[in-house]
Amino acid sequence: MKCKIERNTVQETLILPLYSRKLCTELYPNLYKDETAARLLDQIDYDFSEAEKNSRSLMQRFGALEVAMRQSDLAFEVRDYLKGHPNAAVVNLGCGLDNTGRACDNGRCKIYNLDFPDVIALRQQLLPAGNREQNIPCDLKDTAWFGKIDASGGVVFFASGVFYYFLTQQVRELVRGMADAFPGGVLVFDAANRTAVKMIAKTWLKTAKIKDVGAYFAVSDAAKEIGTWNSRLQVTSRGYMLGYNDLRDPSVSGFFRFLARVGDNGMKMQIVKIRF
Ligand SMILES: C[S@@+](CC[C@H](N)C(=O)[O-])C[C@H]1O[C@@H](n2cnc3c(N)ncnc32)[C@H](O)[C@@H]1O
């Protein structure tokens, strides 16, 4: 039997990146590979006809490339942290059905995947926790989950496509709490400015016909805006389309590279890195 996803919930948003990762694996095999995404999509009871229809449009393809790029940027940061802290905890915040933790597994780290209970129940069926891995049901806004992370070997947190659905004040409280609880840890996540976040709500959520879910948290100058939240935070950021990869692959058109520059520079699409 296939697993069902409830419509019009924030959980349903996990379908968008999952589908994008499958699409990018087909369209840009030199740049990106996520074989689990295609396998999982077959096992989910969800009407993909809309996504399939949209996948032919140029903007949906570019959106899919964005999703794939942010995933490889975050994986780069996780692997980089593991070089200096091989026994660290690798924590996927709002994991959906993303398997980045395991893709970065060095054979020694501890992997934690956190999401709402119904998503974790689905994940347990489709991606049961492996060695040194735990799937933890929680609401990220309730800090009770802090106690479940063994950060004795260091900790790297990443959140992909998650904080857009939080209010600024909620991200601030979470980041402050994490900074106090996990000194020496690192948090990486994708963000964008107000214009881009409005577009996410208008185009992505609307074309996918996901109702009652808003997008809120936006950042323009990360160091300036987030750096003031807590004096301990060291904040840096890199463009998320071109900050880690020059996209100079024949499969990527000149037009898409132009859009990538507009995204990074005009919309401030970025990977924010906070050292606690
Ligand atoms: C757009 S999806 C991204 C999923 C995954 N990170 C990926 O890239 O495929 C957003 C995810 O964040 C989760 N999420 C949002 N708010 C959350 C919260 N307060 N607590 C736990 N999970 C949350 C949703 O359930 C959903 O799985």
Side-chain angles (χ1 to χ4, degrees):
M1 206 184 86
K2 289 196 174 192
C3 302
K4 195 163 172 57
I5 303 253
E6 289 305 323
R7 296 225 58 158
N8 302 321
T9 57
V10 71
Q11 290 89 323
E12 189 189 0
T13 63
L14 72 85
I15 292 290
L16 305 176
L18 191 65
Y19 189 83
S20 298
R21 290 197 292 271
K22 174 200 143 179
L23 190 63
C24 274
T25 304
E26 291 162 7
L27 295 174
Y28 307 105
N30 294 341
L31 286 177
Y32 189 76
K33 268 198 194 75
D34 182 350
E35 264 113 30
T36 358
R39 175 173 65 78
L40 293 182
L41 283 172
D42 279 344
Q43 294 173 261
I44 296 175
D45 178 11
Y46 183 87
D47 180 8
F48 288 104
S49 54
E50 199 71 30
E52 261 151 32
K53 203 169 78 203
N54 294 333
S55 72
R56 275 170 237 133
S57 98
L58 215 54
M59 286 323 284
Q60 290 290 321
R61 282 171 180 235
F62 184 71
L65 184 62
E66 289 173 342
V67 167
M69 286 303 105
R70 80 178 180 209
Q71 217 66 29
S72 32
D73 300 345
L74 294 172
F76 171 92
E77 293 290 357
V78 170
R79 292 190 182 106
D80 190 53
Y81 186 84
L82 284 176
K83 279 186 208 151
H85 306 82
N87 298 317
V90 172
V91 187
N92 191 345
L93 303 173
C95 56
L97 292 173
D98 163 47
N99 216 7
T100 298
R102 235 184 277 170
C104 296
D105 187 9
N106 62 357
R108 287 166 70 182
C109 63
K110 299 163 214 99
I111 302 167
Y112 299 90
N113 304 302
L114 277 58
D115 210 301
F116 285 124
D118 50 347
V119 174
I120 291 297
L122 177 69
R123 187 176 177 100
Q124 273 299 116
Q125 291 177 50
L126 295 168
L127 284 172
N131 281 341
R132 293 169 286 101
E133 185 176 29
Q134 283 182 55
N135 292 333
I136 301 181
C138 66
D139 180 343
L140 293 170
K141 291 170 192 159
D142 173 353
T143 57
W145 62 266
F146 285 8
K148 305 215 166 112
I149 310 296
D150 172 5
S152 55
V155 55
V156 54
F157 299 93
F158 63 101
S160 177
V162 176
F163 290 156
Y164 303 107
Y165 307 103
F166 282 41
L167 300 172
T168 303
Q169 181 197 339
Q170 293 168 332
V171 181
R172 186 165 49 220
E173 267 165 34
L174 180 61
V175 167
R176 281 182 177 155
M178 288 167 74
D180 289 339
F182 303 104
V186 164
L187 164 67
V188 280
F189 60 95
D190 56 305
N193 71 11
R194 175 86 27 227
T195 315
V197 168
K198 275 194 190 145
M199 262 176 61
I200 295 177
K202 267 206 183 132
T203 52
W204 275 83
L205 296 173
K206 207 168 146 202
T207 11
K209 298 204 166 61
I210 301 180
K211 296 186 207 95
D212 305 326
V213 175
Y216 318 99
F217 176 62
V219 178
S220 191
D221 183 338
K224 213 159 131 194
E225 292 161 41
I226 298 175
T228 57
W229 290 357
N230 180 323
S231 57
R232 191 185 305 138
L233 306 179
Q234 292 172 50
V235 186
T236 53
S237 81
R238 279 159 87 167
Y240 98 37
M241 291 306 282
L242 295 160
Y244 293 79
N245 190 317
D246 62 13
L247 293 184
R248 291 209 169 277
D249 186 86
S251 60
V252 181
S253 67
F255 178 56
F256 272 19
R257 276 199 295 277
F258 164 74
L259 288 183
R261 283 197 295 279
V262 174
D264 281 10
N265 303 326
M267 310 256 179
K268 299 290 172 205
M269 290 171 45
Q270 56 192 305
I271 300 293
V272 179
K273 180 170 181 176
I274 308 182
R275 294 181 185 83
F276 300 138

